[in-house]
Amino acid sequence: MAEIKEEILVNESGLNFVEQIIKEDLEAGKNGGRLNTRFPPEPNGYLHIGHAKAIIMDFGAAEKFGGTCNLRFDDTNPQKEDTEYVNAIMEDIHWLGYDWEDRLYYASDYFQQLFDLACRMILEDKAYVDEQTSEEIAAQKGTPTTPGQNSPYRNRPVEESLDLFKRMNEGEFEEGRYVLRAKIDMAHSNMHFRDPIMYRIIKTPHWRTGTTWKVYPMYDFAHGQSDYFEGVTHSICTLEFVPHRPLYEYFVKELADETYCPRQIEFNRLNLTYTVMSKRKLLQLVKEGLVRGWDDPRMPTLCGLRRRGYTPSAIKDFVNRIGYTKYEALNHIELLEHSIREDLNKTATRVSVVQNPVKLILTNYPEDKVEMMHMDNNPEDPNAGQHEMPFAREIWIEGEDFMENPPKKFFRLAPDKEVRLKGAYIIKCTGVKKDEEGNIVEIYAEYDPDTKSGMPGSERKVKGTLHWVAVNSAVKAEVRDYDRLFSVENPSAEEGDFRDLLNPNSLKVRENVMLEPWLAERVKAGDHYQFQRLGYYTVDPDTTADHIVFNKTIGLKDTWAKEMKK
Ligand code: ATP
Ligand code: MG
């Protein structure tokens, strides 16, 4: 299991190690003082929070140093790619606050140039067509300590390889029948140099280039060259590409002269506890209906986090806190939750909502009277102002806020005990009514008219303060409460099927939640609120004129702060 590390490589100027490299290159006048990064997603799934870390690096560094960042779709495998993903990726990058302007590219733009380069390499005896099965090729690969074996087709005449490669592309052969390999060194200490595959046959039509191509370049033969064609100066990626770097440079040198080669720099991936980050696994969760879609608020996808109520600034704050290093790490989800809590604490309007309502009747309050109480919109923000909330004889309070036989430290409501109703009066419980099974159906209390909040006499103190909503004006809503998607800390490190590790209680739907009327009137998908004493909630896009739906973004209790004190 990956070790949990929060070590961050930043220097005194606050730059991370990648930014330090960029700064040095710029100061040394490399590439004519130009900075051009790129973000290269493969459109085979939705972006997740790990991609956000890469986006913030690629676009963020360009922003910081006055450079540019390209968006390039790495669309080299038509079997898995789709325009649905392309559109979703663009939406998510914009949501994070970045823009590629006129620098939108596709690796498929370079298929002709890459094909021409491959033909030239064949002619120069630097590539050959192999016709062994992938199993045979794998068996000849050797190990890091033992050399591999040459393919029997390695010395196929140049003209024959060229002819076969062209016929591969014309669709004459089935998938897997032939591959094009670089002729480098089957005994090389870097396994990636042992005659890597450059091209394979794929018959599935490509969503952009249709049936023009039947051979498609492998990542290693496409990525560096694409960077080169675009004039990318710093090609920033994740640590698993460290061993690919020499091959990246090897292929780029087939095109470049000495003056320019894009520089690959690697940083550690973002991994989150109680989450999986592999696109393959996320796709499986969606396809098998184990979540409600790519934007299910339990998913680590950017659209899922957005629907859950996460904000771009909270995600940036989190990425900034975990930093960019050279060590693989597993990041605590509590830290991400800390970031969103901090952000919403500053911005979310406070409202009164009762999620598990039980009726409380103030027997000494006039039956038809309604008073408007003044509630603070956000005590953290002096300019946020107040809104009005009706108070009446019958109100909803939380079932959990009443106990008939409370333990000593219970400072909420109990027979003969007093509490303050937030923004209203102090009340004293006088009794309860139960049904035949002994469940409490109504609570009775008397209010003290001299204790109205904000009025003279209101200074009298009691230990507990409860939130509430008046029954007559309350509006019913649905609230979706979420827990961790997985029940183990590091699902990717466990043996067996990851689906068996899903938390069966990750979604709890509450149908009978009572909102104060002021809130119900203004709900708009995506808006954030703090429900007093309960947590932060975000309006779900499923909301319609007569059915309001909220997602619980996060509770109020900061488990990260607790973690830090240990
Ligand atoms: P695949 O398994 O399909 O290759 P991928 O997550 O690497 O998945 P890409 O679309 O290739 O997906 O990723 C685009 C960019 O995002 C790459 O530069 C990759 O290094 C970066 N990236 C992907 N996952 C993470 C992560 N967890 N943390 C940081 N960067 C990531
Ligand atoms: Mg990848």
PDB file of all heavy atoms in Angstrom, residues 38-44 47-51 53-54 58 74 219 236-238 240-241 267-271 277 279-280, ligand 1:
ATOM      1  N   ARG A  38       1.116  21.736 -22.329  1.00  0.00           N
ATOM      2  CA  ARG A  38      -0.095  21.158 -22.918  1.00  0.00           C
ATOM      3  C   ARG A  38      -0.748  20.240 -21.914  1.00  0.00           C
ATOM      4  O   ARG A  38      -0.071  19.660 -21.072  1.00  0.00           O
ATOM      5  CB  ARG A  38       0.212  20.404 -24.229  1.00  0.00           C
ATOM      6  CG  ARG A  38       0.586  18.950 -24.045  1.00  0.00           C
ATOM      7  CD  ARG A  38       1.976  18.783 -23.456  1.00  0.00           C
ATOM      8  NE  ARG A  38       2.215  17.419 -23.031  1.00  0.00           N
ATOM      9  CZ  ARG A  38       2.029  16.955 -21.786  1.00  0.00           C
ATOM     10  NH1 ARG A  38       1.609  17.755 -20.830  1.00  0.00           N
ATOM     11  NH2 ARG A  38       2.246  15.702 -21.505  1.00  0.00           N
ATOM     12  N   PHE A  39      -2.069  20.126 -21.999  1.00  0.00           N
ATOM     13  CA  PHE A  39      -2.778  19.095 -21.239  1.00  0.00           C
ATOM     14  C   PHE A  39      -3.310  18.088 -22.252  1.00  0.00           C
ATOM     15  O   PHE A  39      -4.054  18.468 -23.160  1.00  0.00           O
ATOM     16  CB  PHE A  39      -3.917  19.721 -20.427  1.00  0.00           C
ATOM     17  CG  PHE A  39      -4.752  18.678 -19.721  1.00  0.00           C
ATOM     18  CD1 PHE A  39      -4.180  17.873 -18.730  1.00  0.00           C
ATOM     19  CD2 PHE A  39      -6.084  18.493 -20.044  1.00  0.00           C
ATOM     20  CE1 PHE A  39      -4.942  16.896 -18.097  1.00  0.00           C
ATOM     21  CE2 PHE A  39      -6.849  17.517 -19.403  1.00  0.00           C
ATOM     22  CZ  PHE A  39      -6.277  16.715 -18.432  1.00  0.00           C
ATOM     23  N   PRO A  40      -2.896  16.799 -22.135  1.00  0.00           N
ATOM     24  CA  PRO A  40      -3.179  15.833 -23.200  1.00  0.00           C
ATOM     25  C   PRO A  40      -4.122  14.690 -22.816  1.00  0.00           C
ATOM     26  O   PRO A  40      -3.717  13.534 -22.763  1.00  0.00           O
ATOM     27  CB  PRO A  40      -1.782  15.260 -23.455  1.00  0.00           C
ATOM     28  CG  PRO A  40      -1.175  15.204 -22.063  1.00  0.00           C
ATOM     29  CD  PRO A  40      -1.832  16.306 -21.254  1.00  0.00           C
ATOM     30  N   PRO A  41      -5.393  14.962 -22.530  1.00  0.00           N
ATOM     31  CA  PRO A  41      -6.275  13.871 -22.112  1.00  0.00           C
ATOM     32  C   PRO A  41      -6.626  12.918 -23.254  1.00  0.00           C
ATOM     33  O   PRO A  41      -6.773  13.361 -24.396  1.00  0.00           O
ATOM     34  CB  PRO A  41      -7.535  14.604 -21.640  1.00  0.00           C
ATOM     35  CG  PRO A  41      -7.569  15.842 -22.472  1.00  0.00           C
ATOM     36  CD  PRO A  41      -6.126  16.243 -22.637  1.00  0.00           C
ATOM     37  N   GLU A  42      -6.764  11.653 -22.925  1.00  0.00           N
ATOM     38  CA  GLU A  42      -7.336  10.729 -23.884  1.00  0.00           C
ATOM     39  C   GLU A  42      -8.855  10.766 -23.698  1.00  0.00           C
ATOM     40  O   GLU A  42      -9.339  10.576 -22.577  1.00  0.00           O
ATOM     41  CB  GLU A  42      -6.815   9.301 -23.642  1.00  0.00           C
ATOM     42  CG  GLU A  42      -7.397   8.350 -24.652  1.00  0.00           C
ATOM     43  CD  GLU A  42      -6.873   6.916 -24.576  1.00  0.00           C
ATOM     44  OE1 GLU A  42      -6.032   6.617 -23.706  1.00  0.00           O
ATOM     45  OE2 GLU A  42      -7.346   6.110 -25.391  1.00  0.00           O
ATOM     46  N   PRO A  43      -9.622  11.019 -24.761  1.00  0.00           N
ATOM     47  CA  PRO A  43     -11.076  11.144 -24.581  1.00  0.00           C
ATOM     48  C   PRO A  43     -11.751   9.783 -24.449  1.00  0.00           C
ATOM     49  O   PRO A  43     -12.599   9.407 -25.253  1.00  0.00           O
ATOM     50  CB  PRO A  43     -11.523  11.903 -25.838  1.00  0.00           C
ATOM     51  CG  PRO A  43     -10.492  11.594 -26.865  1.00  0.00           C
ATOM     52  CD  PRO A  43      -9.204  11.339 -26.142  1.00  0.00           C
ATOM     53  N   ASN A  44     -11.365   9.050 -23.405  1.00  0.00           N
ATOM     54  CA  ASN A  44     -11.948   7.724 -23.176  1.00  0.00           C
ATOM     55  C   ASN A  44     -12.646   7.660 -21.820  1.00  0.00           C
ATOM     56  O   ASN A  44     -12.863   6.589 -21.265  1.00  0.00           O
ATOM     57  CB  ASN A  44     -10.866   6.632 -23.289  1.00  0.00           C
ATOM     58  CG  ASN A  44      -9.780   6.796 -22.243  1.00  0.00           C
ATOM     59  OD1 ASN A  44      -9.736   7.798 -21.530  1.00  0.00           O
ATOM     60  ND2 ASN A  44      -8.896   5.822 -22.142  1.00  0.00           N
ATOM     61  N   LEU A  47     -13.081  13.480 -16.883  1.00  0.00           N
ATOM     62  CA  LEU A  47     -11.945  13.892 -16.057  1.00  0.00           C
ATOM     63  C   LEU A  47     -12.260  13.685 -14.588  1.00  0.00           C
ATOM     64  O   LEU A  47     -13.399  13.863 -14.148  1.00  0.00           O
ATOM     65  CB  LEU A  47     -11.627  15.367 -16.287  1.00  0.00           C
ATOM     66  CG  LEU A  47     -11.169  15.757 -17.691  1.00  0.00           C
ATOM     67  CD1 LEU A  47     -10.840  17.251 -17.732  1.00  0.00           C
ATOM     68  CD2 LEU A  47      -9.956  14.940 -18.130  1.00  0.00           C
ATOM     69  N   HIS A  48     -11.235  13.310 -13.821  1.00  0.00           N
ATOM     70  CA  HIS A  48     -11.394  13.178 -12.372  1.00  0.00           C
ATOM     71  C   HIS A  48     -10.452  14.153 -11.672  1.00  0.00           C
ATOM     72  O   HIS A  48      -9.705  14.903 -12.317  1.00  0.00           O
ATOM     73  CB  HIS A  48     -11.187  11.732 -11.923  1.00  0.00           C
ATOM     74  CG  HIS A  48      -9.894  11.112 -12.385  1.00  0.00           C
ATOM     75  ND1 HIS A  48      -8.664  11.643 -12.068  1.00  0.00           N
ATOM     76  CD2 HIS A  48      -9.648  10.016 -13.134  1.00  0.00           C
ATOM     77  CE1 HIS A  48      -7.724  10.886 -12.594  1.00  0.00           C
ATOM     78  NE2 HIS A  48      -8.297   9.887 -13.258  1.00  0.00           N
ATOM     79  N   ILE A  49     -10.491  14.116 -10.343  1.00  0.00           N
ATOM     80  CA  ILE A  49      -9.744  15.116  -9.586  1.00  0.00           C
ATOM     81  C   ILE A  49      -8.233  14.961  -9.786  1.00  0.00           C
ATOM     82  O   ILE A  49      -7.479  15.927  -9.657  1.00  0.00           O
ATOM     83  CB  ILE A  49     -10.141  15.108  -8.098  1.00  0.00           C
ATOM     84  CG1 ILE A  49      -9.475  16.275  -7.370  1.00  0.00           C
ATOM     85  CG2 ILE A  49      -9.875  13.747  -7.456  1.00  0.00           C
ATOM     86  CD1 ILE A  49     -10.089  16.607  -6.052  1.00  0.00           C
ATOM     87  N   GLY A  50      -7.788  13.757 -10.170  1.00  0.00           N
ATOM     88  CA  GLY A  50      -6.379  13.583 -10.517  1.00  0.00           C
ATOM     89  C   GLY A  50      -6.007  14.421 -11.730  1.00  0.00           C
ATOM     90  O   GLY A  50      -4.958  15.076 -11.761  1.00  0.00           O
ATOM     91  N   HIS A  51      -6.896  14.412 -12.725  1.00  0.00           N
ATOM     92  CA  HIS A  51      -6.645  15.253 -13.903  1.00  0.00           C
ATOM     93  C   HIS A  51      -6.597  16.732 -13.521  1.00  0.00           C
ATOM     94  O   HIS A  51      -5.855  17.501 -14.125  1.00  0.00           O
ATOM     95  CB  HIS A  51      -7.725  15.028 -14.961  1.00  0.00           C
ATOM     96  CG  HIS A  51      -7.715  13.651 -15.553  1.00  0.00           C
ATOM     97  ND1 HIS A  51      -8.707  12.737 -15.333  1.00  0.00           N
ATOM     98  CD2 HIS A  51      -6.798  13.017 -16.331  1.00  0.00           C
ATOM     99  CE1 HIS A  51      -8.424  11.619 -15.963  1.00  0.00           C
ATOM    100  NE2 HIS A  51      -7.261  11.755 -16.574  1.00  0.00           N
ATOM    101  N   LYS A  53      -5.317  17.970 -10.983  1.00  0.00           N
ATOM    102  CA  LYS A  53      -3.949  18.260 -10.536  1.00  0.00           C
ATOM    103  C   LYS A  53      -3.043  18.552 -11.739  1.00  0.00           C
ATOM    104  O   LYS A  53      -2.222  19.483 -11.715  1.00  0.00           O
ATOM    105  CB  LYS A  53      -3.404  17.082  -9.713  1.00  0.00           C
ATOM    106  CG  LYS A  53      -1.986  17.313  -9.226  1.00  0.00           C
ATOM    107  CD  LYS A  53      -1.501  16.205  -8.299  1.00  0.00           C
ATOM    108  CE  LYS A  53      -0.070  16.497  -7.882  1.00  0.00           C
ATOM    109  NZ  LYS A  53       0.457  15.513  -6.922  1.00  0.00           N
ATOM    110  N   ALA A  54      -3.217  17.758 -12.800  1.00  0.00           N
ATOM    111  CA  ALA A  54      -2.411  17.971 -14.015  1.00  0.00           C
ATOM    112  C   ALA A  54      -2.808  19.276 -14.708  1.00  0.00           C
ATOM    113  O   ALA A  54      -1.953  20.045 -15.164  1.00  0.00           O
ATOM    114  CB  ALA A  54      -2.565  16.784 -14.963  1.00  0.00           C
ATOM    115  N   ASP A  58      -0.458  22.362 -15.664  1.00  0.00           N
ATOM    116  CA  ASP A  58      -0.189  22.737 -17.058  1.00  0.00           C
ATOM    117  C   ASP A  58      -0.678  24.159 -17.368  1.00  0.00           C
ATOM    118  O   ASP A  58       0.079  24.980 -17.887  1.00  0.00           O
ATOM    119  CB  ASP A  58      -0.873  21.743 -18.016  1.00  0.00           C
ATOM    120  CG  ASP A  58      -0.313  20.329 -17.876  1.00  0.00           C
ATOM    121  OD1 ASP A  58       0.898  20.208 -17.616  1.00  0.00           O
ATOM    122  OD2 ASP A  58      -1.079  19.365 -18.030  1.00  0.00           O
ATOM    123  N   ASP A  74      -5.581  13.223 -26.969  1.00  0.00           N
ATOM    124  CA  ASP A  74      -4.717  12.127 -27.372  1.00  0.00           C
ATOM    125  C   ASP A  74      -5.630  11.020 -27.920  1.00  0.00           C
ATOM    126  O   ASP A  74      -5.867  10.008 -27.279  1.00  0.00           O
ATOM    127  CB  ASP A  74      -3.939  11.673 -26.122  1.00  0.00           C
ATOM    128  CG  ASP A  74      -3.064  10.473 -26.383  1.00  0.00           C
ATOM    129  OD1 ASP A  74      -2.726  10.239 -27.556  1.00  0.00           O
ATOM    130  OD2 ASP A  74      -2.740   9.760 -25.414  1.00  0.00           O
ATOM    131  N   TYR A 219       1.144   5.213 -27.892  1.00  0.00           N
ATOM    132  CA  TYR A 219       1.413   6.416 -27.105  1.00  0.00           C
ATOM    133  C   TYR A 219       2.843   6.920 -27.302  1.00  0.00           C
ATOM    134  O   TYR A 219       3.080   8.099 -27.584  1.00  0.00           O
ATOM    135  CB  TYR A 219       1.157   6.132 -25.618  1.00  0.00           C
ATOM    136  CG  TYR A 219       1.557   7.279 -24.739  1.00  0.00           C
ATOM    137  CD1 TYR A 219       0.654   8.296 -24.435  1.00  0.00           C
ATOM    138  CD2 TYR A 219       2.857   7.378 -24.236  1.00  0.00           C
ATOM    139  CE1 TYR A 219       1.027   9.371 -23.654  1.00  0.00           C
ATOM    140  CE2 TYR A 219       3.245   8.451 -23.457  1.00  0.00           C
ATOM    141  CZ  TYR A 219       2.335   9.437 -23.170  1.00  0.00           C
ATOM    142  OH  TYR A 219       2.716  10.517 -22.420  1.00  0.00           O
ATOM    143  N   ILE A 236       4.680  18.188 -19.236  1.00  0.00           N
ATOM    144  CA  ILE A 236       4.628  17.783 -17.830  1.00  0.00           C
ATOM    145  C   ILE A 236       3.651  16.627 -17.683  1.00  0.00           C
ATOM    146  O   ILE A 236       2.518  16.698 -18.170  1.00  0.00           O
ATOM    147  CB  ILE A 236       4.207  18.991 -16.943  1.00  0.00           C
ATOM    148  CG1 ILE A 236       5.101  20.198 -17.265  1.00  0.00           C
ATOM    149  CG2 ILE A 236       4.293  18.632 -15.474  1.00  0.00           C
ATOM    150  CD1 ILE A 236       4.528  21.523 -16.793  1.00  0.00           C
ATOM    151  N   CYS A 237       4.090  15.551 -17.042  1.00  0.00           N
ATOM    152  CA  CYS A 237       3.244  14.365 -16.934  1.00  0.00           C
ATOM    153  C   CYS A 237       3.480  13.712 -15.579  1.00  0.00           C
ATOM    154  O   CYS A 237       4.143  14.272 -14.715  1.00  0.00           O
ATOM    155  CB  CYS A 237       3.529  13.405 -18.077  1.00  0.00           C
ATOM    156  SG  CYS A 237       5.240  12.883 -18.117  1.00  0.00           S
ATOM    157  N   THR A 238       2.936  12.523 -15.400  1.00  0.00           N
ATOM    158  CA  THR A 238       3.026  11.866 -14.099  1.00  0.00           C
ATOM    159  C   THR A 238       4.166  10.844 -14.067  1.00  0.00           C
ATOM    160  O   THR A 238       4.699  10.451 -15.103  1.00  0.00           O
ATOM    161  CB  THR A 238       1.673  11.242 -13.728  1.00  0.00           C
ATOM    162  OG1 THR A 238       1.051  10.732 -14.907  1.00  0.00           O
ATOM    163  CG2 THR A 238       0.759  12.297 -13.137  1.00  0.00           C
ATOM    164  N   GLU A 240       4.761   7.762 -13.760  1.00  0.00           N
ATOM    165  CA  GLU A 240       4.888   6.479 -14.470  1.00  0.00           C
ATOM    166  C   GLU A 240       5.564   6.647 -15.825  1.00  0.00           C
ATOM    167  O   GLU A 240       5.984   5.671 -16.440  1.00  0.00           O
ATOM    168  CB  GLU A 240       3.535   5.770 -14.587  1.00  0.00           C
ATOM    169  CG  GLU A 240       2.525   6.399 -15.528  1.00  0.00           C
ATOM    170  CD  GLU A 240       1.649   7.458 -14.875  1.00  0.00           C
ATOM    171  OE1 GLU A 240       2.070   8.041 -13.849  1.00  0.00           O
ATOM    172  OE2 GLU A 240       0.557   7.730 -15.396  1.00  0.00           O
ATOM    173  N   PHE A 241       5.697   7.900 -16.290  1.00  0.00           N
ATOM    174  CA  PHE A 241       6.350   8.124 -17.581  1.00  0.00           C
ATOM    175  C   PHE A 241       7.856   8.352 -17.470  1.00  0.00           C
ATOM    176  O   PHE A 241       8.513   8.537 -18.490  1.00  0.00           O
ATOM    177  CB  PHE A 241       5.682   9.291 -18.317  1.00  0.00           C
ATOM    178  CG  PHE A 241       4.280   8.965 -18.732  1.00  0.00           C
ATOM    179  CD1 PHE A 241       3.198   9.475 -18.042  1.00  0.00           C
ATOM    180  CD2 PHE A 241       4.045   8.090 -19.790  1.00  0.00           C
ATOM    181  CE1 PHE A 241       1.904   9.140 -18.407  1.00  0.00           C
ATOM    182  CE2 PHE A 241       2.758   7.750 -20.157  1.00  0.00           C
ATOM    183  CZ  PHE A 241       1.683   8.275 -19.464  1.00  0.00           C
ATOM    184  N   PHE A 267       5.719  14.474 -12.292  1.00  0.00           N
ATOM    185  CA  PHE A 267       5.353  14.689 -10.882  1.00  0.00           C
ATOM    186  C   PHE A 267       4.443  13.547 -10.418  1.00  0.00           C
ATOM    187  O   PHE A 267       3.977  12.754 -11.240  1.00  0.00           O
ATOM    188  CB  PHE A 267       4.669  16.048 -10.699  1.00  0.00           C
ATOM    189  CG  PHE A 267       3.346  16.154 -11.411  1.00  0.00           C
ATOM    190  CD1 PHE A 267       2.192  15.644 -10.827  1.00  0.00           C
ATOM    191  CD2 PHE A 267       3.244  16.746 -12.661  1.00  0.00           C
ATOM    192  CE1 PHE A 267       0.960  15.726 -11.478  1.00  0.00           C
ATOM    193  CE2 PHE A 267       2.017  16.831 -13.322  1.00  0.00           C
ATOM    194  CZ  PHE A 267       0.885  16.308 -12.725  1.00  0.00           C
ATOM    195  N   ASN A 268       4.204  13.508  -9.104  1.00  0.00           N
ATOM    196  CA  ASN A 268       3.413  12.387  -8.554  1.00  0.00           C
ATOM    197  C   ASN A 268       1.920  12.552  -8.794  1.00  0.00           C
ATOM    198  O   ASN A 268       1.381  13.644  -8.762  1.00  0.00           O
ATOM    199  CB  ASN A 268       3.694  12.220  -7.049  1.00  0.00           C
ATOM    200  CG  ASN A 268       3.220  13.413  -6.240  1.00  0.00           C
ATOM    201  OD1 ASN A 268       3.208  14.537  -6.734  1.00  0.00           O
ATOM    202  ND2 ASN A 268       2.823  13.178  -5.019  1.00  0.00           N
ATOM    203  N   ARG A 269       1.260  11.441  -9.027  1.00  0.00           N
ATOM    204  CA  ARG A 269      -0.189  11.424  -9.251  1.00  0.00           C
ATOM    205  C   ARG A 269      -0.932  11.783  -7.979  1.00  0.00           C
ATOM    206  O   ARG A 269      -0.424  11.561  -6.881  1.00  0.00           O
ATOM    207  CB  ARG A 269      -0.646  10.021  -9.650  1.00  0.00           C
ATOM    208  CG  ARG A 269      -0.162   9.534 -10.954  1.00  0.00           C
ATOM    209  CD  ARG A 269      -0.642   8.112 -11.182  1.00  0.00           C
ATOM    210  NE  ARG A 269      -1.977   8.069 -11.736  1.00  0.00           N
ATOM    211  CZ  ARG A 269      -2.237   8.127 -13.034  1.00  0.00           C
ATOM    212  NH1 ARG A 269      -1.253   8.221 -13.902  1.00  0.00           N
ATOM    213  NH2 ARG A 269      -3.472   8.068 -13.477  1.00  0.00           N
ATOM    214  N   LEU A 270      -2.126  12.256  -8.148  1.00  0.00           N
ATOM    215  CA  LEU A 270      -3.027  12.438  -7.024  1.00  0.00           C
ATOM    216  C   LEU A 270      -3.784  11.124  -6.827  1.00  0.00           C
ATOM    217  O   LEU A 270      -4.352  10.577  -7.773  1.00  0.00           O
ATOM    218  CB  LEU A 270      -3.991  13.581  -7.354  1.00  0.00           C
ATOM    219  CG  LEU A 270      -5.006  14.040  -6.312  1.00  0.00           C
ATOM    220  CD1 LEU A 270      -5.464  15.450  -6.652  1.00  0.00           C
ATOM    221  CD2 LEU A 270      -6.204  13.137  -6.218  1.00  0.00           C
ATOM    222  N   ASN A 271      -3.752  10.608  -5.620  1.00  0.00           N
ATOM    223  CA  ASN A 271      -4.571   9.444  -5.257  1.00  0.00           C
ATOM    224  C   ASN A 271      -5.341   9.806  -4.006  1.00  0.00           C
ATOM    225  O   ASN A 271      -4.797  10.450  -3.117  1.00  0.00           O
ATOM    226  CB  ASN A 271      -3.693   8.229  -4.952  1.00  0.00           C
ATOM    227  CG  ASN A 271      -2.864   7.816  -6.138  1.00  0.00           C
ATOM    228  OD1 ASN A 271      -3.387   7.392  -7.156  1.00  0.00           O
ATOM    229  ND2 ASN A 271      -1.544   7.954  -6.011  1.00  0.00           N
ATOM    230  N   MET A 277      -9.253   5.804  -8.907  1.00  0.00           N
ATOM    231  CA  MET A 277      -9.002   6.895  -9.842  1.00  0.00           C
ATOM    232  C   MET A 277      -8.824   6.357 -11.265  1.00  0.00           C
ATOM    233  O   MET A 277      -8.674   7.134 -12.194  1.00  0.00           O
ATOM    234  CB  MET A 277      -7.747   7.644  -9.382  1.00  0.00           C
ATOM    235  CG  MET A 277      -7.766   9.126  -9.648  1.00  0.00           C
ATOM    236  SD  MET A 277      -9.032   9.975  -8.760  1.00  0.00           S
ATOM    237  CE  MET A 277      -8.153  10.348  -7.265  1.00  0.00           C
ATOM    238  N   LYS A 279      -9.626   5.244 -14.824  1.00  0.00           N
ATOM    239  CA  LYS A 279     -10.763   5.524 -15.707  1.00  0.00           C
ATOM    240  C   LYS A 279     -11.501   4.235 -16.060  1.00  0.00           C
ATOM    241  O   LYS A 279     -12.716   4.239 -16.199  1.00  0.00           O
ATOM    242  CB  LYS A 279     -10.274   6.205 -16.989  1.00  0.00           C
ATOM    243  CG  LYS A 279     -10.054   7.697 -16.804  1.00  0.00           C
ATOM    244  CD  LYS A 279      -9.984   8.429 -18.129  1.00  0.00           C
ATOM    245  CE  LYS A 279      -8.576   8.411 -18.660  1.00  0.00           C
ATOM    246  NZ  LYS A 279      -8.367   9.313 -19.802  1.00  0.00           N
ATOM    247  N   ARG A 280     -10.748   3.148 -16.167  1.00  0.00           N
ATOM    248  CA  ARG A 280     -11.364   1.868 -16.486  1.00  0.00           C
ATOM    249  C   ARG A 280     -12.357   1.459 -15.393  1.00  0.00           C
ATOM    250  O   ARG A 280     -13.481   1.044 -15.669  1.00  0.00           O
ATOM    251  CB  ARG A 280     -10.267   0.802 -16.638  1.00  0.00           C
ATOM    252  CG  ARG A 280     -10.757  -0.560 -17.041  1.00  0.00           C
ATOM    253  CD  ARG A 280      -9.586  -1.549 -17.161  1.00  0.00           C
ATOM    254  NE  ARG A 280      -8.792  -1.662 -15.928  1.00  0.00           N
ATOM    255  CZ  ARG A 280      -9.169  -2.358 -14.868  1.00  0.00           C
ATOM    256  NH1 ARG A 280     -10.311  -3.011 -14.869  1.00  0.00           N
ATOM    257  NH2 ARG A 280      -8.402  -2.411 -13.785  1.00  0.00           N
TER     258      ARG A 280
HETATM  259  P1  ATP B   1      -5.314   6.160 -18.818  1.00  0.00           P
HETATM  260  O1  ATP B   1      -5.232   5.035 -17.883  1.00  0.00           O
HETATM  261  O2  ATP B   1      -6.514   6.106 -19.708  1.00  0.00           O
HETATM  262  O3  ATP B   1      -4.043   6.539 -19.504  1.00  0.00           O
HETATM  263  P2  ATP B   1      -4.992   8.630 -17.435  1.00  0.00           P
HETATM  264  O4  ATP B   1      -5.653   8.894 -16.131  1.00  0.00           O
HETATM  265  O5  ATP B   1      -3.530   8.637 -17.544  1.00  0.00           O
HETATM  266  O6  ATP B   1      -5.665   7.310 -17.848  1.00  0.00           O
HETATM  267  P3  ATP B   1      -5.101  10.595 -19.548  1.00  0.00           P
HETATM  268  O7  ATP B   1      -6.287  11.074 -20.252  1.00  0.00           O
HETATM  269  O8  ATP B   1      -4.022   9.973 -20.321  1.00  0.00           O
HETATM  270  O9  ATP B   1      -5.643   9.605 -18.471  1.00  0.00           O
HETATM  271  O10 ATP B   1      -4.528  11.743 -18.624  1.00  0.00           O
HETATM  272  C1  ATP B   1      -4.256  13.043 -19.080  1.00  0.00           C
HETATM  273  C2  ATP B   1      -3.214  13.669 -18.207  1.00  0.00           C
HETATM  274  O11 ATP B   1      -3.632  13.686 -16.844  1.00  0.00           O
HETATM  275  C3  ATP B   1      -1.896  12.923 -18.241  1.00  0.00           C
HETATM  276  O12 ATP B   1      -0.861  13.864 -18.422  1.00  0.00           O
HETATM  277  C4  ATP B   1      -1.803  12.256 -16.913  1.00  0.00           C
HETATM  278  O13 ATP B   1      -0.478  12.143 -16.496  1.00  0.00           O
HETATM  279  C5  ATP B   1      -2.620  13.186 -16.019  1.00  0.00           C
HETATM  280  N1  ATP B   1      -3.207  12.439 -14.903  1.00  0.00           N
HETATM  281  C6  ATP B   1      -4.011  11.369 -14.997  1.00  0.00           C
HETATM  282  N2  ATP B   1      -4.323  10.895 -13.773  1.00  0.00           N
HETATM  283  C7  ATP B   1      -3.705  11.695 -12.871  1.00  0.00           C
HETATM  284  C8  ATP B   1      -3.635  11.723 -11.444  1.00  0.00           C
HETATM  285  N3  ATP B   1      -4.268  10.830 -10.688  1.00  0.00           N
HETATM  286  N4  ATP B   1      -2.903  12.694 -10.870  1.00  0.00           N
HETATM  287  C9  ATP B   1      -2.269  13.608 -11.617  1.00  0.00           C
HETATM  288  N5  ATP B   1      -2.299  13.637 -12.954  1.00  0.00           N
HETATM  289  C10 ATP B   1      -2.997  12.696 -13.593  1.00  0.00           C
END
